[in-house]
Amino acid sequence: MQKLETDVLVIGGGGAAARAAIEAHRAGARVTLVTKGSFGAIGTRGCGATAGGFSAAGVFATPGWTGQLTPAEKMVTHMIAAPLETAYQNIIQVGLGMADPKLARVLVEDAVATRLTLFEMGATFGEAGLRSHGVPIMAALVSQIKRSGINIIDRTMITSLLIQSGECLGAMGIHELKGEPILITAGATVIGTGGDANLFMLNLNPSCNTGDGYALGYEAGAELMNLEFKQIFLGTIFPTRNMLTQFITPYVKFLNAAGEEFLHRYLPPGATVEECLAQRRLHNPFSTRDQYSRYFDIGIINEVRAGRGTVHSGVYLDRTDPRIPKLNPPASEFWEYRAIDFSNPVEVGICHHCSLGGYRIDENASTTIPGLYAAGEAAAGPHGADRMGGHMLLASQVFGARAGKNGATLARAKKVNVDLKTIQKAEEQISAIPRNGDISPAEVKKMLQQAAYFDLLTIRSRNSLTRFLVEVKKLKNDLFPRLKVNTPLELVDALELQNLLTLGEIEAEVCLHRTESRGPHYREDYPKQDDKNWLKVITVKKLNDKPALDTIALDPSWQSKGDEKLGYWG
């Protein structure tokens, strides 16, 4: 076993992890960054959601910013550079009472300084085209890290946190290609592993985002919250996966595999397809906050479930009507490079984009376990049930910076001594994986992803969630013990599968507990928002080997002020 000592251990390879590593290093700490895949490899395993390259445009919200904006940013100034108080109120309004007001305040107040620091590192903002979304920001962060002397360990999956006397003292991992374990002791550990996108069959994330951070924290006894809230987007699904924003335009058609329009089948009495699409055009993600837009996503999912979808589990987006404006550069270049041709119908589907839940943190990015910090998509609270566009990139930098700085301060004043019992427990996490069976981890993962897609992602009910829990139990008890693992990569696949199974069970329990619909949490059997009983977040932690749920009112006086001033959000 390789053994390593460091002051601050950062787990993850995306924007939050990279920013945490930089700030910890600047604070004078010895820093080690560990990631799956290759660190800094844009668009591939290890890049994180920040540099996945799934979106044709990037929005970095900077409340209070009065400096220069790119032409693309000027189109959505209300999301990019709103006054501080307006931006704060927008977060609270769009969050539907599920945002932590303290964290929302931190997010807007740190925004300008965060942007200026990124400028100093050479980052650019608001680009559209091939260098898209967070790619320019991540490129600057990677360059900074590689010049800094920060210790980078890639091709390594962290399998468990070292918890001793209630505090985190580092982590255990395994090399993806060599299969060798590594023990890293640290005074502070930062989780920047992103979300759980690969729990679902269709998603807009790199393959490395398998909920590892959530599972690590849950097994360690940390408190998680808001796990029921996801951002769910329309995306192309073949030949490449890409986020589709503002494509639900007038004259566009959505067709099933037989070439038939179908949305009218899923609308409630009195609603029209035109009303449904008009509401859906007001926001990118699926949400229940208005009356009819939800039926767009529900209709697509149900059409696929009924067997009328395409071979890749989607439907067709038809933009061939001559009244629809043609795409111009740089947007057209983005789609051409990704082999998407809108002169013919394109296969699209409903895709998981990002998770709004994660570790419960405070203003310092500290989790409920001393010595453990979280930022980016791994942390909950800066957003709520829904979120404003550009705020996920912003949160990754604001709380990544805070996690790195505060982790460095803690670590430099701390001596770490991990006992043998703690190390042995971490080793058992790896050795306990079955290896001599007859089914591959990839096969079981595919079954889990399909079940989660149809019964856990968009359309939820007691029946669907119960059915999903039965499937998870079957996969855990009947198929997981039969895993066939021949290579280190297959061992990593099995460990990722184990994390996804754990998360599937937790998230289904949380969704069952919330007996209402709020934002992207749609309960078919409880279709209305219930502020009287559910103006509170659900927290979950491991207790007696089971998920223990609790509720906390973070913003008990929240009241809707109407969405009219939000503009296009999400």
Side-chain angles (χ1 to χ4, degrees):
M1 181 192 299
Q2 183 183 355
K3 296 181 180 180
L4 177 70
E5 294 179 3
T6 191
D7 293 329
V8 178
L9 168 63
V10 179
I11 306 171
R19 187 60 184 271
I22 289 169
E23 297 299 340
H25 176 74
R26 287 181 169 184
R30 295 174 301 159
V31 181
T32 297
L33 182 147
V34 178
T35 184
K36 299 188 295 188
S38 298
F39 178 66
I42 303 300
T44 64
R45 183 176 175 84
C47 66
T50 308
F54 289 91
S55 173
V59 175
F60 188 92
T62 318
W65 180 253
T66 56
Q68 189 173 357
L69 296 173
T70 66
E73 288 180 315
K74 289 176 182 176
M75 295 173 63
V76 283
T77 306
H78 69 286
M79 290 196 294
I80 301 295
L84 292 185
E85 189 57 31
T86 300
Y88 171 78
Q89 293 298 337
N90 285 347
I91 294 170
I92 297 301
Q93 171 65 28
V94 82
L96 296 170
M98 302 295 106
D100 185 331
K102 299 189 298 297
L103 301 188
R105 187 66 71 181
V106 166
L107 191 64
V108 300
E109 290 180 350
D110 281 12
V112 170
T114 297
R115 185 180 180 113
L116 288 172
T117 302
L118 287 170
F119 270 140
E120 293 170 5
M121 296 181 193
T124 54
F125 299 90
E127 293 189 2
L130 301 184
R131 275 174 62 84
S132 56
H133 194 53
V135 171
I137 294 170
M138 193 65 202
L141 294 172
V142 169
S143 176
Q144 188 82 10
I145 285 176
K146 289 187 174 180
R147 294 198 307 267
S148 70
I150 290 170
N151 184 26
I152 300 170
I153 302 176
D154 52 13
R155 296 287 185 185
T156 299
M157 178 184 180
I158 294 298
T159 55
S160 59
L161 299 174
L162 304 176
I163 305 298
Q164 189 171 292
S165 301
E167 65 177 335
C168 185
L169 300 178
M172 174 79 79
I174 186 166
H175 197 276
E176 292 181 325
L177 302 181
K178 301 175 184 176
E180 296 173 352
I182 181 171
L183 178 75
I184 306 171
T185 58
T189 301
V190 179
I191 303 289
T193 52
D196 62 349
N198 281 283
L199 177 57
F200 304 98
M201 178 177 69
L202 297 182
N203 66 78
L204 301 169
N205 271 251
S207 64
C208 49
N209 286 23
T210 52
D212 300 343
Y214 301 160
L216 288 170
Y218 174 76
E219 295 296 345
E223 198 168 56
L224 308 174
M225 78 175 194
N226 281 351
L227 292 178
E228 67 270 45
F229 301 123
K230 317 284 184 187
Q231 285 217 305
I232 302 164
F233 277 61
L234 183 68
T236 65
I237 58 174
F238 184 82
T240 57
R241 288 191 192 177
N242 308 276
M243 185 190 303
L244 283 165
T245 57
Q246 299 173 307
F247 271 76
I248 307 175
T249 59
Y251 313 118
V252 72
K253 294 180 181 179
F254 291 91
L255 312 171
N256 63 20
E260 306 164 330
E261 294 189 70
F262 58 86
L263 287 176
H264 61 278
R265 299 173 182 163
Y266 301 100
L267 298 176
T272 66
V273 171
E274 290 73 23
E275 286 176 306
C276 171
L277 295 182
Q279 287 187 4
R280 195 61 175 76
R281 280 195 289 273
L282 297 176
H283 47 87
N284 261 337
F286 167 73
S287 182
T288 62
R289 63 192 308 126
D290 50 35
Q291 191 172 7
Y292 297 129
S293 73
R294 69 190 72 177
Y295 296 105
F296 170 77
D297 307 74
I298 291 168
I300 291 176
I301 293 285
N302 278 327
E303 196 71 2
V304 174
R305 191 201 302 267
R308 295 186 289 269
T310 67
V311 68
H312 300 103
S313 300
V315 297
Y316 289 109
L317 166 69
D318 185 347
R319 286 177 52 87
T320 59
D321 190 301
R323 291 171 292 183
I324 300 174
K326 302 295 183 184
L327 297 175
N328 295 315
S332 59
E333 294 170 355
F334 176 91
W335 297 110
E336 289 169 9
Y337 182 72
R338 287 156 175 80
I340 303 295
D341 179 9
F342 288 108
S343 66
N344 295 299
V346 172
E347 284 189 72
V348 300
I350 303 302
C351 306
H352 176 287
H353 169 50
C354 66
S355 301
L356 301 177
Y359 286 82
R360 187 181 177 200
I361 61 169
D362 64 14
E363 298 95 317
N364 297 317
S366 298
T367 73
T368 54
I369 293 180
L372 184 64
Y373 300 80
E377 204 174 330
H383 324 291
D386 282 320
R387 71 166 174 89
M388 295 294 291
H391 284 223
M392 191 62 82
L393 276 178
L394 175 64
S396 76
Q397 298 305 297
V398 166
F399 289 98
R402 289 197 168 212
K405 291 174 186 175
N406 293 312
T409 300
L410 175 71
R412 289 169 63 197
K414 186 174 175 181
K415 289 187 177 181
V416 176
N417 184 20
V418 180
D419 61 32
L420 183 60
K421 183 179 179 181
T422 301
I423 296 172
Q424 288 173 336
K425 183 178 178 181
E427 286 182 294
E428 290 168 2
Q429 183 78 15
I430 300 172
S431 62
I433 295 293
R435 306 183 189 216
N436 300 314
D438 59 357
I439 188 168
S440 72
E443 291 176 88
V444 182
K445 180 181 175 183
K446 187 176 180 180
M447 297 177 200
L448 174 64
Q449 289 175 319
Q450 183 167 332
Y453 183 77
F454 287 112
D455 285 339
L456 180 64
L457 181 59
T458 308
I459 307 169
R460 299 164 174 172
S461 67
R462 174 162 292 278
N463 286 341
S464 79
L465 295 168
T466 301
R467 182 168 60 240
F468 177 70
L469 283 169
V470 170
E471 180 68 9
V472 169
K473 185 176 180 180
K474 183 185 80 172
L475 296 178
K476 284 177 68 174
N477 295 342
D478 297 345
L479 296 187
F480 193 82
R482 291 170 42 199
L483 290 186
K484 176 178 61 178
V485 173
N486 294 322
T487 68
L489 273 176
E490 287 179 340
L491 176 57
V492 168
D493 286 345
L495 289 160
E496 289 180 338
L497 171 62
Q498 182 173 252
N499 288 342
L500 292 173
L501 287 166
T502 297
L503 285 175
E505 179 182 11
I506 297 169
E507 293 181 13
E509 293 288 359
V510 170
C511 293
L512 272 171
H513 197 61
R514 184 173 289 279
T515 51
E516 63 152 1
S517 291
R518 183 177 298 266
H521 171 70
Y522 172 60
R523 282 289 298 263
E524 199 172 32
D525 45 353
Y526 294 95
K528 294 184 178 180
Q529 185 172 307
D530 180 5
D531 288 344
K532 180 180 179 181
N533 296 301
W534 277 111
L535 204 55
K536 49 196 176 185
V537 301
I538 298 173
T539 64
V540 59
K541 64 185 297 185
K542 188 175 184 179
L543 189 63
N544 298 324
D545 287 328
K546 292 182 179 180
L549 277 57
D550 199 358
T551 56
I552 301 171
L554 292 176
D555 193 4
S557 60
W558 182 87
Q559 290 184 337
S560 174
K561 296 181 180 179
D563 290 350
E564 294 79 12
K565 296 180 181 179
L566 290 175
Y568 184 73
W569 60 268

